[in-house]
Amino acid sequence: MSANLIAMLAEATWQTLYMVAVATVIGALCGLPVGTFLACSRKGELLSAPLVNKVLGIVVNATRSVPFIILVVAIIPFTRMVAGTSIGTTAAIVPLTIAAIPFIARLIENAIREVDSGLIEAARAMGATPLQIIAKVLIPEALPGITLGLTLAVVSLIGYSAMVGAVGGEGLGDLGIRYGYQRFMPDVMAMVVVILIVMVQLAQSIGEWIARKVDKRAPRNRGA
Amino acid sequence: MQRDSTTGAAIAFEGVGKSFTSKGRTVTALEGVDLAVAPGAITGIIGRSGAGKSTLLRMVNGLERPSAGRVTVGGRDVGTARGATLREIRRDVGMIFQHFNLLSSRTVLGNVALPLEIAGVPAAETARRAKDLVERVGLETLADRYPAELSGGQKQRVGIARALATGPKVLLSDEATSALDPETTQTVLRLLADINRDLGLTILMITHEMAVLRDIASHVAVIEGGRIVEEGATYDIFTRPAHPTTRSFLAGVTGVTLPQFIAARMQLDPPAGPSREVIRITFLGANATDPLLAEMSAALGLEVNILAGAIEEIGAQPFGNLLISVAAERGPEARHYLDTRGQRTEVLGYVG
Ligand SMILES: Nc1ncnc2c1ncn2[C@@H]1O[C@H](COP(=O)(O)OP(=O)(O)OP(=O)(O)O)[C@@H](O)[C@H]1O
Ligand SMILES: [Mg+2]
């Protein structure tokens, strides 16, 4: 394989990492409050607001039900507004993030709803405010689940990032399609696939390792 | 905490009712409950599953609001308190739970520190007080462990330390020993009794085991179908149970059961022909009954069979149960003799 090709692969790998990392960080920053609110605003819960919960839930579902490739194209005007341009790697971060937020929000919502309601009760009995319960009980207790959720989000975003070639986003997916498929260079395609597999494996392993570190529940039963 | 000005109680329920409505159906969990919990005492609530025990207890710290009546803690109305006022009251009321409800993400020390953090106590003082409390419950060597690494009894000790963190005057316990084995139950009960004595804490505890009450409660309320059917000093409830529910709770705990070969033949009415009356004698205090029975036998010229007997303690007071039989036609005479000498008698039945 030529030095040129290797440089291209290296750059594409970097671009993919960049897009996924930025989308994950922003997605998590926005998804955490949204997910927490979704979990806590159901009827009879801490911040009971069933109507708002329902509306937010519909918005989240709507965003999630749009196929990613359609989302990319549909929000081009918005992307231009945010990124200043609608093509290129930086621009591609916008649809990736938009897709990441509701996905991460749902994962965080699930992780928080897994927390034993007895702990909420104990905190209420201590005289905690709803915000204290969220910050000191729900999020710390849900952390193992949240970590695994974010791992899943990273893996999914690596997959999504392959589609942003459609709007001039670069990265591994784009390289694979342009060189491996359109110019029929099977070695490039093979390398792209191998790098993506390694990337996903790494993300999964690191995520699981962190989740294990933060999980203090019954270590004896988890072979640790 | 100040006491209720009218009753002097640490906790007072006045005409308290509670109903739940879910899916259009209304369940009445409590009705017309009046109860004054004495300050500094350990009061037990006992009742069958679904009787309304937890609902009653949870009103004391406002986890549940009364649908009718008034609940006051230290003279403050909990039922109508909201927001900051309610949180203030809750800091004066500690609570421990059957399933401990400890944070798995925090160490022993961290769990005990939580109520202090919530109350906004400065970090240095929080650390110091949490450490003291962990020592108070005898867990200093486990301070940095996580709950998953502790036994049930140790977890409940953490629960107790946590409940005491904000220096409450009242401690609520919802079946705190139900998930523990008998031996561990004893150590946890002893800890609660120590705390009650050392800190003058008012403890209101739910249990479905009469034995738990016998060991540490000075007052008992029996609840059945959302109503308090009997209440009073533990000693009186144990020795003179008035309500059938109380009796059935006591059956397995106090005293004595008839030998099987007699129980199997016993009937409620005297059979035709010669028969013997089976009498339960409950003797209070340290009364020696042996001489009494011997005296009765001599005085009345009566043959007395002793079937079973036991002496036990409620609090520090001894109390005994003796099952005897006498010829059925001499029964009333024998009971009169014992009754006039301060013993309590009860006819259990007759054997032919
Ligand atoms: N949140 C609720 N919604 C509807 N019904 C409820 C609710 N909480 C309690 N109840 C009902 O109120 C009654 C009393 O319940 P409670 O939990 O106080 O009983 P308990 O005496 O504590 O029983 P256990 O010994 O099983 O804990 C039950 O019939 C129960 O089904
Ligand atoms: Mg209960």
Side-chain angles (χ1 to χ4, degrees):
Chain A
M1 199 179 296
S2 71
N4 189 21
L5 252 178
I6 290 174
M8 270 177 14
L9 277 167
E11 199 194 354
T13 303
W14 165 248
Q15 287 161 338
T16 294
L17 283 175
Y18 167 64
M19 289 187 291
V20 170
V22 175
T24 304
V25 169
I26 301 177
L29 287 178
C30 301
L32 183 66
V34 175
T36 308
F37 184 79
L38 278 173
C40 298
S41 59
R42 306 170 137 254
K43 192 161 183 274
E45 298 283 339
L46 222 46
L47 306 169
S48 183
L51 201 71
V52 188
N53 181 284
K54 193 130 270 142
V55 171
L56 191 61
I58 289 171
V59 171
V60 163
N61 285 345
T63 320
R64 290 194 58 199
S65 55
V66 177
F68 182 68
I69 190 74
I70 307 242
L71 181 82
V72 171
V73 181
I75 65 163
I76 282 179
F78 177 74
T79 303
R80 190 177 295 124
M81 208 170 75
V82 175
T85 166
S86 60
I87 51 169
T89 303
T90 301
I93 288 175
V94 177
L96 276 175
T97 307
I98 298 294
I101 292 171
F103 185 47
I104 292 177
R106 280 291 187 212
L107 292 166
I108 287 179
E109 178 193 6
N110 287 341
I112 287 180
R113 283 176 60 192
E114 290 283 307
V115 176
D116 181 1
S117 63
L119 298 183
I120 301 176
E121 177 142 318
R124 284 176 64 207
M126 287 172 206
T129 63
L131 280 182
Q132 283 176 321
I133 295 177
I134 289 169
K136 290 190 176 288
V137 177
L138 291 179
I139 292 177
E141 286 291 305
L143 210 52
I146 291 176
T147 311
L148 290 177
L150 288 179
T151 306
L152 185 59
V154 167
V155 169
S156 304
L157 284 174
I158 291 174
Y160 284 179
S161 74
M163 291 183 230
V164 295
V167 287
E170 292 168 294
L172 287 167
D174 176 56
L175 187 73
I177 287 174
R178 279 192 293 126
Y179 285 78
Y181 176 64
Q182 287 162 358
R183 299 191 193 178
F184 198 67
M185 296 168 74
D187 51 340
V188 175
M189 187 60 109
M191 278 312 291
V192 163
V193 170
V194 167
I195 294 173
L196 282 172
I197 289 174
V198 170
M199 217 181 249
V200 166
Q201 291 289 347
L202 272 178
Q204 189 67 35
S205 303
I206 294 171
E208 281 174 12
W209 180 79
I210 297 175
R212 241 186 345 261
K213 279 275 157 202
V214 298
D215 191 351
K216 307 298 183 187
R217 296 169 298 188
R220 276 168 281 179
N221 304 334
R222 283 156 200 261
Chain B
M1 195 187 319
Q2 77 202 59
R3 290 169 191 177
D4 189 282
S5 49
T6 51
T7 61
I11 306 167
F13 299 88
E14 294 160 29
V16 170
K18 175 73 186 180
S19 45
F20 294 101
T21 307
S22 57
K23 300 193 182 91
R25 287 199 327 124
T26 300
V27 181
T28 303
L30 291 175
E31 218 176 344
V33 170
D34 290 303
L35 182 68
V37 177
I42 301 183
T43 300
I45 301 174
I46 191 161
R48 291 181 220 285
S49 186
K53 306 181 293 293
S54 298
T55 308
L56 187 68
L57 194 79
R58 290 157 53 83
M59 287 189 180
V60 179
N61 58 2
L63 291 176
E64 219 74 81
R65 287 182 196 285
S67 327
R70 221 163 77 97
V71 181
T72 56
V73 179
R76 290 181 291 186
D77 192 333
V78 190
T80 56
R82 296 280 189 284
T85 319
L86 180 58
R87 290 195 290 273
E88 187 71 30
I89 295 176
R90 283 174 172 169
R91 273 168 215 159
D92 273 346
V93 180
M95 188 167 189
I96 55 176
F97 306 86
Q98 178 175 2
H99 298 295
F100 322 119
N101 293 351
L102 301 178
L103 268 64
S104 66
S105 57
R106 285 180 175 235
T107 61
V108 167
L109 215 48
N111 268 287
V112 177
L114 182 61
L116 297 165
E117 289 175 24
I118 285 170
V121 175
E125 199 191 333
T126 295
R128 188 179 55 74
R129 269 163 68 179
K131 192 163 161 289
D132 284 352
L133 284 157
V134 168
E135 276 168 26
R136 178 76 181 76
V137 298
L139 291 177
E140 53 274 26
T141 55
L142 301 175
D144 296 319
R145 299 282 193 88
Y146 288 91
E149 304 166 304
L150 304 180
S151 72
Q154 291 164 340
K155 284 185 205 170
Q156 197 56 285
R157 283 166 182 275
V158 180
I160 292 169
R162 182 177 72 176
L164 297 177
T166 49
K169 298 294 182 295
V170 170
L171 180 67
L172 307 175
S173 161
D174 193 345
E175 307 210 15
T177 57
S178 298
L180 306 176
D181 64 59
E183 208 171 306
T184 315
T185 294
Q186 285 306 316
T187 64
V188 169
L189 291 180
R190 218 168 301 133
L191 178 63
L192 288 175
D194 287 351
I195 287 164
N196 164 257
R197 195 193 52 229
D198 298 349
L199 307 178
L201 204 67
T202 305
I203 300 182
L204 183 59
M205 62 187 303
I206 289 179
T207 179
H208 52 242
E209 289 172 272
M210 230 36 194
V212 168
L213 300 181
R214 178 193 59 205
D215 293 341
I216 74 165
S218 59
H219 293 76
V220 174
V222 183
I223 184 166
E224 169 87 0
R227 292 175 168 278
I228 293 195
V229 294
E230 188 162 6
E231 59 155 312
T234 310
Y235 193 78
D236 296 339
I237 300 281
F238 270 69
T239 53
R240 284 185 281 275
H243 196 273
T245 308
T246 319
R247 292 223 182 95
S248 79
F249 271 118
L250 282 168
V253 192
T254 53
V256 283
T257 44
L258 279 171
Q260 190 51 43
F261 75 97
I262 295 178
R265 281 164 42 213
M266 200 156 74
Q267 47 201 98
L268 283 176
D269 300 308
S275 70
R276 295 186 71 80
E277 185 176 289
V278 179
I279 302 171
R280 178 200 295 276
I281 310 172
T282 306
F283 53 99
L284 314 179
N287 279 5
T289 41
D290 276 3
L292 194 62
L293 287 179
E295 280 163 32
M296 175 172 81
S297 158
L300 304 182
L302 192 67
E303 182 217 343
V304 178
N305 281 351
I306 296 181
L307 304 174
I311 299 185
E312 53 197 309
E313 275 184 344
I314 301 167
Q317 302 183 69
F319 128 89
N321 258 298
L322 201 57
L323 302 182
I324 63 166
S325 74
V326 298
E329 68 279 7
R330 308 289 306 272
E333 206 184 329
R335 279 182 276 125
H336 178 75
Y337 184 93
L338 293 166
D339 286 343
T340 53
R341 279 156 187 79
Q343 308 299 315
R344 292 200 331 108
T345 58
E346 181 189 352
V347 179
L348 296 182
Y350 300 87
V351 282

